[in-house]
Every structure is written in C-alpha cells, then in structure tokens.
C-alpha cells in the first residue's frame, strides 16, 4: 500500500543516516573582508574628525588671537602650499577612480603626519604634546588602514611620501602660527572628504559573506 511504501522508505533513510560516519559540527567563519576593512576605515575617519575638533580648539587657543577667533579666515600663503591641499573641485574629485582617490588619501595623510610630528616637537605645554601624540598615533592608524583597503582591492600602495620640504623657517612668530593654522585647516578638510569617500566606497563593495563549511572526513 502507499502508506506501507512510505513507511518503508522512511525506515530505510533512518537506517542509512545511522550508518553515516560521524560529522563534525558546522564550521561558521567570517573573515575580515574588504567591506569590513572599509567600514573600519570610515569609522576611524569619523573618530579623527571628532578628535581633531577638540585638538584644533585647544591648539588655536594656544596660538592665541586672531587664530582662535571664529571668523578668522586668512588667505592661503605661499608657504602653506607645501601642506597637501584638499581644496580640489568636488566634481573633479568624484570623477577620479577609487584607486586614484585612495592613493591621494594615503599620500596626503602620510605627509600630514610628518608635519604633525614636527609640530609635536615644538609645542611648549605637556598637555598639548600629549594630545598631539595621541592624534598622531590615530592618524598613523588611518594611514595603515587605508593601505589595508588598497591591498584588499588589489591596488598597489603609492611610494612613501618625501620628508617635509626644507622650507626656510618662518621669518616671524606670526607666519609660524599661520603655518600651524593651515595645517589644522587642511586636516579638517581632508578628514571631512575622506569620510564621504569611504561612505560611498562601502556602498559599492558588498558585505563580507559568511561561509558555512561542512567538513566530513572519510565521507
């Protein structure tokens, strides 16, 4: 009868399953993929943005007026041109390939980090030196993180940045403070734009796939 046939098939399957070799538990693994690396880099740019707001306020107060006045907006001096500028037309920037934007970010933060370390050695207060050192460590982490994203996407890392150009020292204290002001201003712009870059990039790269591996020895 159909009922008897069904029962017979069921009994056969149960017997077959009982005689299968023992199977280890399912192995569920999720490797740190490109998407997760991009997300972490994005999070780090946002963290650095927040960190820089506090640092810049403290440092500008250290420089004193007019640098700590909210409406202070001086023209960019020729001396400041040695600091990597983020003032590129947004449409032109977005028209670059992902590789070109990542390489530009990598080179810029590597050079900005060099300038910040020089700045750290010139500050007169221990508290500000501590804050600058902490920020430099975070920025170094961002450089490494961007390099990791480039590697995971198959892009070559740009050549290491040259040391800060040996520009003649500022002829007076005001010009030295102006250099410091523009360094912080460019950093703020770079971080703002980088956050947007990595936010767009993470939308283009699919999330890391969770893979299930079924390992059956002798099966």
């Amino acid at each position: 009868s159909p009922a008897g046939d069904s029962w017979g098939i069921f009994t056969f399957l149960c017997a077959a399953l009982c005689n299968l070799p023992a199977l280890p538990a399912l192995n569920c693994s999720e490797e740190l993929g490109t998407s997760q690396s991009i997300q972490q880099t994005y999070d780090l740019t946002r963290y650095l943005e927040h960190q820089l707001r506090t640092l810049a306020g403290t440092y500008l107060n250290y420089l004193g007026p007019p640098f700590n006045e909210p409406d202070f907006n001086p023209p960019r001096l020729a001396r400041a041109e040695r600091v990597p500028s983020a003032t590129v037309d947004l449409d032109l920037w977005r028209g670059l390939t992902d590789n070109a934007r990542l390489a530009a970010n990598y080179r810029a933060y590597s050079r900005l980090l060099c300038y910040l370390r020089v700045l750290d050695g010139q500050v007169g207060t221990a508290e500000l030196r501590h804050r600058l050192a902490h920020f430099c460590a975070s920025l170094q982490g961002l450089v490494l993180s961007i390099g990791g994203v480039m590697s995971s996407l198959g892009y070559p890392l740009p050549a290491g940045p040259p040391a800060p150009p040996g520009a003649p020292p500022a002829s007076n204290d005001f010009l030295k403070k102006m250099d410091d002001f523009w360094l912080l201003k460019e950093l703020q712009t770079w971080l703002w734009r980088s956050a947007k870059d990595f936010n767009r990039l993470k939308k283009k790269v699919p999330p890391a796939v969770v893979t299930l591996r079924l390992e059956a020895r002798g099966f």
Side-chain angles (χ1 to χ4, degrees):
S1 66
D5 291 341
S6 298
W7 177 253
I9 293 171
F10 177 74
T11 305
F12 171 78
L13 289 174
C14 286
L17 288 171
C18 288
N19 289 316
L20 283 176
L23 296 177
L26 288 174
N27 181 19
C28 176
S29 66
E30 181 178 3
E31 298 180 354
L32 181 63
T34 303
S35 177
Q36 196 170 349
S37 181
I38 293 170
Q39 179 66 52
Q40 289 182 352
T41 309
Y42 168 75
D43 292 339
L44 185 53
T45 58
R46 297 307 306 269
Y47 169 72
L48 279 162
E49 276 190 290
H50 172 75
Q51 195 178 350
L52 183 59
R53 279 194 291 270
T54 302
L55 174 62
T58 304
Y59 195 85
L60 293 178
N61 284 333
Y62 168 75
L63 295 181
F67 300 96
N68 59 347
E69 296 172 359
D71 57 348
F72 182 62
N73 188 26
R76 188 180 176 98
L77 301 177
R79 288 182 52 82
E81 291 176 359
R82 59 200 182 106
V83 175
S85 176
T87 53
V88 178
D89 179 76
L90 283 178
D91 289 334
L92 177 62
W93 180 258
R94 290 172 183 169
L96 297 176
T97 63
D98 293 333
N99 186 8
R101 280 195 301 272
L102 286 167
N105 276 282
Y106 184 89
R107 284 192 298 265
Y109 289 121
S110 298
R111 288 193 61 191
L112 289 165
L113 182 60
C114 292
Y115 287 115
L116 276 173
R117 284 173 172 160
V118 172
L119 200 67
D120 185 22
Q122 299 172 345
V123 172
T125 69
E127 179 187 357
L128 197 46
R129 281 198 304 273
H130 175 75
R131 290 193 178 191
L132 276 167
H134 180 65
F135 186 84
C136 284
S138 299
L139 194 60
Q140 176 67 57
L142 179 60
V143 173
L144 295 174
S145 190
I146 294 172
V149 170
M150 294 188 71
S151 296
S152 67
L153 290 171
Y155 300 145
L157 290 181
S171 57
N172 57 56
D173 188 55
F174 181 84
L175 290 179
K176 169 64 179 65
K177 291 180 178 180
M178 187 72 82
D179 288 347
D180 297 350
F181 174 86
W182 275 105
L183 175 59
L184 295 174
K185 193 175 181 67
E186 287 296 349
L187 258 172
Q188 287 176 325
T189 308
W190 272 105
L191 288 170
W192 171 81
R193 191 170 65 187
S194 294
K196 292 186 175 297
D197 287 345
F198 286 104
N199 190 43
R200 282 193 297 269
L201 188 60
K202 71 179 183 178
K203 293 175 181 177
K204 294 172 64 175
V205 177
V209 178
V210 177
T211 58
L212 295 177
R213 295 200 298 270
L214 183 63
E215 299 172 355
R217 292 184 178 85
F219 180 64

